[in-house]
Amino acid sequence: MTYSQTITEARKTIGGNANWDGIEAESVARMRLQNRFRTGLDIARYTAGIMRRDMAAYDADPANYTQSLGCWHGFIGQQKLISIKKHFGTTKGRYLYLSGWMVAALRSEFGPLPDQSMHEKTSVPALIEELYTFLKQADARELGGLFRELDAAKKAQDAVGVHRLLAKIDAFETHVVPIVADIDAGFGNAEATYLLAKKFIEAGACCIQIENQVSDEKQCGHQDGKVTVPHEDFLAKIRAVRYAFMELGVDDGVIVARTDSLGAGLTKQIAYVREKGDIGDQYNSFLDCEEVTAGEIGHGDVLITRDGKLMRPKRLPSNLFQFRSGTGEDRCVLDCITSLQNGADLLWIETEKPHIGQIGGMVKRIREVIPNAKLVYNNSPSFNWTLNFRQQVFDAWTAEGKDVSAYDRAKLMSVDYDGTPLADEADERIRTFQKDAAREAGIFHHLITLPTYHTAALSTDNLAKEYFGEQGMLGYVKGVQRQEIRQGIACVKHQNMSGSDIGDDHKEYFSGEAALKAGGVHNTMNQFAA
């Protein structure tokens, strides 16, 4: 509905209520456009449609991959989307990622926690709601600026300006984008997963990522000690999430099935087998077992049969069972195929390094069964990107017979190698990694899980060093404020960003000429007008 149509609709409603003196149709229309999404479910349905269209566009051309950054606060997510619109003119193909790691480390009432599902599970849907509150406020702020420009153009009788601004208002692109939300391993059994998924969706999430680790043993994907569950357990949780989406009317909801099998060498239980070759039997086939005879059975041993042979799985004092070494990729491929066959839409393979060949090799095997399989991939800060890619170039050059005698492979992180041909080629591979991996390894969505955790620490360190040192106030002015002004960072006008001008608009709607507004001539934010 256009701005003019929204005014007309509001005028009809007001005209039918004789006692609504002072209610202006144009003010109502502005408030409605500034609050396009009334509920989280409205957001979930809208953003699910975006993701489905983006997935189809990627299937047609892998150059249409999508991206996101992890954000741990509504303000951070808001500033990211404002920056994207400023630099690129559109939010198309850009999402938000909500990391369980960052919720644990930054948003738990227990204080900083490791990524082991120990934080309050309701803190995750609370963050989803917070992110969308800030994104909706970004809409209200930007539209409010357009409305003020429109009023000025009308006052100046600038017909061309009025026409231009009405077109901009009607073509306004919202800051509300899809969130890929991390539900860890579901925080309990399938019923617990279903209940929590509903909270995610009601808060606005159209995409839920769930992993195949044991819920009460959940471990960060880039740490040791990961324990997986049999496929039937994981598939029950995928179905639980799908039921939650469908119950709430978000039929296009997207499920990302994450496998940690590449780095997980343990399972908590032996899968139930109904018949030879079924999914439970395939899971158990990866167990590290030794053949035993009846006379070799010890007290308390757990035994299975395999091809008519009596086998004793290797069981640790923790009561966990060990997989055979070297089976990680095969287990990943099986995990991915079964997940896509049972309700998942996208895959996440947690790897130990960003290597296109390794990722692409697994995706090729998956696509032999599921041709349109595609990945969400963690461009993780847990990887040493500089060292990894310099070593990849070193190895490639060695294989090609190039002279690498000037380089020490174990010390390639050294600043001494900056600016060398090897370092330059490594940086170029890093620069094109997302584009290359989208084309060669089936990656639809690239995300960085924890970037704003690291940028907050880095920028704070830089400011502390300068402000508390010899630079004093110049450390802030030169390093922060002057850069904000010159780069056009919206929050340099922090009163405006916090909603002061939106509040002034409302005061005028509510009180007319009697409104006491904060944005007058004595507001110091006017110093930033130029």
Side-chain angles (χ1 to χ4, degrees):
M1 189 178 294
T2 67
Y3 180 51
S4 297
Q5 289 169 335
T6 309
I7 294 173
T8 300
E9 183 185 73
R11 188 174 288 126
K12 288 179 181 177
T13 303
I14 294 167
N17 293 273
N19 297 325
W20 287 9
D21 185 42
I23 304 296
E24 298 290 337
E26 190 161 15
S27 300
V28 171
R30 291 180 177 189
M31 295 175 79
R32 284 180 174 176
L33 291 177
Q34 287 174 302
N35 186 28
R36 171 180 173 182
F37 302 99
R38 312 292 172 81
T39 70
L41 287 176
D42 290 338
I43 292 172
R45 295 187 188 103
Y46 169 76
T47 53
I50 291 175
M51 281 199 73
R52 291 293 177 176
R53 290 189 293 274
D54 286 348
M55 289 160 67
Y58 173 83
D59 287 340
D61 182 357
N64 296 317
Y65 63 90
T66 56
Q67 300 168 290
S68 66
L69 296 174
C71 298
W72 51 273
H73 191 278
F75 177 73
I76 301 297
Q78 178 198 64
Q79 294 305 300
K80 190 192 93 168
L81 267 299
I82 288 174
S83 294
I84 287 170
K85 285 192 73 174
K86 179 183 74 173
H87 291 296
F88 305 104
T90 179
T91 62
K92 183 173 174 55
R94 278 85 176 200
Y95 306 164
L96 287 177
Y97 180 65
L98 190 157
S99 162
W101 192 103
M102 285 208 285
V103 172
L106 298 169
R107 301 298 300 255
S108 172
E109 293 184 10
F110 294 106
L113 294 172
D115 183 21
Q116 297 172 358
S117 290
M118 295 190 291
H119 55 282
E120 308 87 346
K121 59 184 179 182
T122 53
S123 60
V124 189
L127 179 53
I128 296 169
E129 183 176 6
E130 177 184 295
L131 284 161
Y132 280 128
T133 297
F134 274 79
L135 295 186
K136 290 193 293 182
Q137 193 258 14
D139 281 359
R141 172 188 165 275
E142 186 175 329
L143 281 166
L146 292 174
F147 295 147
R148 284 187 288 277
E149 288 183 53
L150 178 63
D151 290 341
K154 287 179 178 178
K155 187 175 182 180
Q157 297 184 330
D158 177 6
V160 173
V162 169
H163 180 76
R164 176 182 60 83
L165 286 161
L166 285 173
K168 287 186 72 173
I169 291 167
D170 288 342
F172 177 79
E173 182 180 11
T174 178
H175 295 81
V176 170
V177 298
I179 289 177
V180 179
D182 182 3
I183 201 170
D184 282 13
F187 287 88
N189 60 17
E191 174 69 6
T193 301
Y194 153 77
L195 293 170
L196 183 56
K198 287 213 302 181
K199 291 292 186 184
F200 275 46
I201 300 160
E202 289 166 342
C206 73
C207 179
I208 295 177
Q209 164 216 330
I210 186 165
E211 61 202 58
N212 70 334
Q213 291 192 47
V214 176
S215 184
D216 60 353
E217 300 281 357
K218 183 262 186 306
Q219 184 61 273
C220 173
H222 291 287
Q223 292 186 315
D224 205 354
K226 294 182 290 297
V227 183
T228 63
V229 297
H231 294 89
E232 288 292 355
D233 292 26
F234 187 50
L235 298 179
K237 292 186 177 182
I238 289 176
R239 287 191 288 270
V241 175
R242 179 62 64 205
Y243 273 112
F245 273 125
M246 297 192 73
E247 176 184 337
L248 296 172
V250 186
D251 295 347
D252 283 344
V254 178
I255 299 174
V256 180
R258 169 176 148 178
T259 173
D260 282 283
S261 290
L262 196 63
L266 302 170
T267 182
K268 194 165 188 177
Q269 62 201 86
I270 297 171
Y272 178 75
V273 177
R274 293 177 177 84
E275 59 184 38
K276 183 176 180 179
D278 68 10
I279 193 63
D281 195 32
Q282 291 179 66
Y283 187 80
N284 293 342
S285 72
F286 296 114
L287 292 171
D288 188 359
C289 300
E290 60 176 341
E291 185 178 353
V292 295
T293 64
E296 296 173 317
I297 299 174
H299 182 71
D301 276 354
V302 172
L303 304 173
I304 63 173
T305 58
R306 183 182 294 165
D307 297 324
K309 299 176 182 177
L310 198 59
M311 310 293 290
R312 179 167 52 206
K314 185 170 183 180
R315 185 167 57 158
L316 307 182
S318 58
N319 205 33
L320 300 173
F321 296 91
Q322 186 168 295
F323 289 115
R324 297 196 318 276
S325 177
T327 63
E329 286 202 9
D330 290 339
R331 286 184 280 123
C332 273
V333 170
L334 183 61
D335 294 344
C336 292
I337 291 171
T338 55
S339 296
L340 291 176
Q341 289 173 331
N342 288 271
D345 302 289
L346 297 168
L347 302 171
W348 174 317
I349 299 176
E350 194 76 300
T351 67
E352 81 286 0
K353 60 182 179 295
H355 192 287
I356 292 175
Q358 178 196 38
I359 304 162
M362 287 186 281
V363 170
K364 182 179 179 181
R365 294 174 60 189
I366 296 164
R367 284 183 166 176
E368 290 173 358
V369 181
I370 313 287
N372 68 339
K374 44 193 168 287
L375 300 186
V376 172
Y377 187 71
N378 178 8
N379 292 227
S380 177
S382 294
F383 303 142
N384 185 331
W385 285 77
T386 301
L387 181 60
N388 265 292
F389 276 83
R390 286 182 180 182
Q391 288 180 340
Q392 287 180 37
V393 172
F394 182 96
D395 294 341
W397 284 9
T398 301
E400 294 167 9
K402 289 187 178 181
D403 181 12
V404 292
S405 60
Y407 304 98
D408 182 342
R409 190 181 186 281
K411 298 179 180 179
L412 288 175
M413 184 65 196
S414 172
V415 69
D416 295 339
Y417 294 123
D418 289 1
T420 63
L422 184 146
D424 289 345
E425 182 172 328
D427 282 354
E428 179 62 11
R429 290 192 184 195
I430 294 171
R431 186 184 73 81
T432 64
F433 174 80
Q434 295 189 343
K435 177 176 66 177
D436 296 340
R439 182 184 65 251
E440 300 172 20
I443 298 177
F444 157 73
H445 185 71
H446 283 276
L447 60 88
I448 307 178
T449 44
L450 320 175
T452 51
Y453 178 89
H454 292 279
T455 55
L458 179 62
S459 61
T460 301
D461 181 78
N462 289 336
L463 176 60
K465 177 178 64 176
E466 298 296 322
Y467 177 73
F468 293 104
E470 290 298 318
Q471 293 298 307
M473 193 59 196
L474 183 60
Y476 173 77
V477 172
K478 187 176 180 180
V480 181
Q481 189 181 78
R482 194 176 295 168
Q483 298 305 315
E484 286 181 305
I485 295 169
R486 291 177 176 173
Q487 293 181 41
I489 305 300
C491 74
V492 71
K493 298 182 180 181
H494 49 258
Q495 308 286 16
N496 166 269
M497 184 57 62
S498 70
S500 179
D501 289 334
I502 296 172
D504 276 358
D505 292 339
H506 292 169
K507 290 174 186 176
E508 191 168 4
Y509 300 162
F510 305 155
S511 304
E513 293 181 355
L516 182 63
K517 298 194 289 187
V521 294
H522 298 298
N523 188 320
T524 59
M525 288 289 101
N526 294 328
Q527 296 173 23
F528 300 101

